[in-house]
Amino acid sequence: MVMQVRGIVLPEHEERSFWIDGDRLREEPIADADVVVDGGWLLPGLVDVHTHPGTEEIGTRLDDETLRKHLIDHRDAGVLLVRTPGSAGRIPGWVDEDPQLPRVRSAGPWLATPGRFFPGHGRDVTEDELLAAAVEEAAASSGWCKVIGDWMPDQPALPLETLTAVVQAVHAEGGKVAVHCQTAEGCRNAVEAGADSLEHGMHLDPGLLDRMAAQGTALVPTLGVFNAGAERARAAEPTPRRQWFLSGFEAMPQLVRAAHEAGVTVLAGTDSFPCGTVAAEAQLLARFGLPPEAAVGGASWIARSWLGLPGLADGAPADLVAYDTDPTLDVSVLAHPKRVILRGKVVV
């Protein structure tokens, strides 16, 4: 069945029509098409660039049934593209073959060296093994790998020379490196090593933002999960670690604003459950200082472009969400799509 959608396309803010032929958008009219969206606002499918579907508890392995449920939760919320920057195992091949599921960009399992991250929750390697493991995981996934660059403030970050060698080796093979970093040292090392994305970025020195912008390093601040953690920390007894966490989180509004103003790509990633809540993350990005259009774009067209997919254009994948009102005027609108179309099929 050929379908037609028409409405105001974002980010162009132009009224346009598309015809859906198979799983592709077409601008050339096709006769006898069924109109499934008539008016409102059209966005490229939403994107969560930091989500971990397939398991909800530390130490458990990927489960196919849980993975499918999580991805459907994403899909039904209009999240039609996800990046899994590290997981408890490699995302199985059947995910890419299932037309009912969002498109997935995987980074394989987390790569953690001794003393960093939860032991056994991902792939544990020594610092000497890290380079080869990173190249292997990038080649076995969607071109990404994920390195745990630091952990707690009283523990040293992964050495700069080690991380630099990893990034250079993965880049030489055409891959990209996401780095978990939440300490000042870890963030600095990730930027100076030339990582492609900083996951979290808490305690990032704003003086590094210009370098990030120049080399194309994106920031994924995962504000929702840290916001929840801050609420718990405020109710806890004072400790040095609690103060470290709260001071880092309280600096995030200024950091997010400064990153955007410096030209850094700031993206929406949830890093939490339930899946399908990237709209709430976009709202936090706006609340923390991103212009509303940048916050929406960070969960849609900006993120899709960063991951190598087009927005709404002739020949693009037929992955889109439609809204009754303009989400760039009210970011909360993102949570209420009136129509979700994935791979040319209406799913909501």
Side-chain angles (χ1 to χ4, degrees):
M1 180 183 73
V2 176
M3 298 182 293
Q4 182 184 357
V5 297
R6 51 190 175 222
I8 299 173
V9 173
L10 294 177
E12 293 86 356
H13 293 273
E14 296 176 352
E15 189 166 358
R16 295 164 66 189
S17 288
F18 291 101
W19 285 260
I20 298 174
D21 184 14
D23 67 348
R24 296 286 136 177
L25 295 176
R26 300 299 177 192
E27 293 183 334
E28 186 71 23
I30 301 175
D32 300 322
D34 290 335
V35 178
V36 294
V37 178
D38 190 5
W41 278 256
L42 308 178
L43 275 70
L46 301 185
V47 185
D48 189 335
V49 301
H50 189 126
T51 180
H52 304 296
T55 180
E56 294 184 8
E57 296 181 7
I58 294 170
T60 58
R61 307 309 297 171
L62 275 178
D63 174 77
D64 282 1
E65 183 177 348
T66 304
L67 176 59
R68 193 171 197 283
K69 177 187 180 301
H70 286 165
L71 290 173
I72 288 175
D73 288 344
H74 276 303
R75 180 202 70 186
D76 289 351
V79 180
L80 307 182
L81 173 64
V82 302
R83 183 185 63 144
T84 63
S87 59
R90 291 179 183 169
I91 301 296
W94 61 261
V95 170
D96 288 332
E97 299 169 3
D98 191 330
Q100 298 182 20
L101 299 180
R103 302 175 197 271
V104 176
R105 297 293 181 266
S106 169
W110 295 278
L111 298 173
T113 49
R116 303 180 182 99
F117 207 52
F118 303 104
H121 195 47
R123 181 176 175 182
D124 295 331
V125 296
T126 67
E127 290 185 13
D128 289 340
E129 296 169 333
L130 180 60
L131 189 151
V135 172
E136 179 183 357
E137 293 300 341
S141 64
S142 302
W144 282 88
C145 68
K146 168 74 170 292
V147 175
I148 304 299
D150 61 16
W151 194 224
M152 293 298 148
D154 52 355
Q155 300 166 319
L158 188 68
L160 173 59
E161 58 272 21
T162 302
L163 187 54
T164 301
V166 166
V167 172
Q168 291 177 347
V170 173
H171 283 179
E173 296 298 321
K176 295 185 177 183
V177 182
V179 178
H180 165 103
C181 49
Q182 58 188 20
T183 69
E185 180 187 15
C187 290
R188 181 179 66 251
N189 288 355
V191 175
E192 293 185 356
D196 296 281
S197 68
L198 268 60
E199 309 301 315
H200 314 306
M202 195 163 66
H203 293 282
L204 171 64
D205 178 1
L208 294 167
L209 294 173
D210 286 341
R211 179 167 180 172
M212 288 178 65
Q215 66 191 26
T217 300
L219 175 64
V220 187
T222 62
L223 298 175
V225 71
F226 280 128
N227 187 50
E231 291 181 7
R232 294 190 296 269
R234 293 186 186 103
E237 293 295 321
T239 65
R241 186 170 289 184
R242 170 183 177 273
Q243 181 55 36
W244 162 79
F245 183 88
L246 287 176
S247 65
F249 178 72
E250 288 163 1
M252 291 298 278
Q254 181 177 354
L255 176 65
V256 167
R257 284 195 300 271
H260 173 74
E261 291 169 358
V264 174
T265 299
V266 181
L267 301 170
T270 57
D271 191 29
S272 62
F273 299 99
C275 291
T277 58
V278 79
E281 185 69 22
Q283 289 182 65
L284 277 172
L285 286 172
R287 197 177 95 193
F288 275 50
L290 251 63
E293 187 151 340
V296 174
S300 180
W301 60 85
I302 295 173
R304 294 180 75 86
S305 176
W306 184 72
L307 288 171
L309 285 176
L312 301 183
D314 187 65
D319 299 342
L320 62 91
V321 283
Y323 296 90
D324 286 323
T325 56
D326 186 352
T328 66
L329 299 180
D330 178 1
V331 181
S332 69
V333 167
L334 281 185
H336 306 287
K338 73 172 182 179
R339 183 74 75 216
V340 176
I341 297 174
L342 170 66
R343 304 176 194 261
K345 304 293 184 183
V346 175
V347 295
V348 175

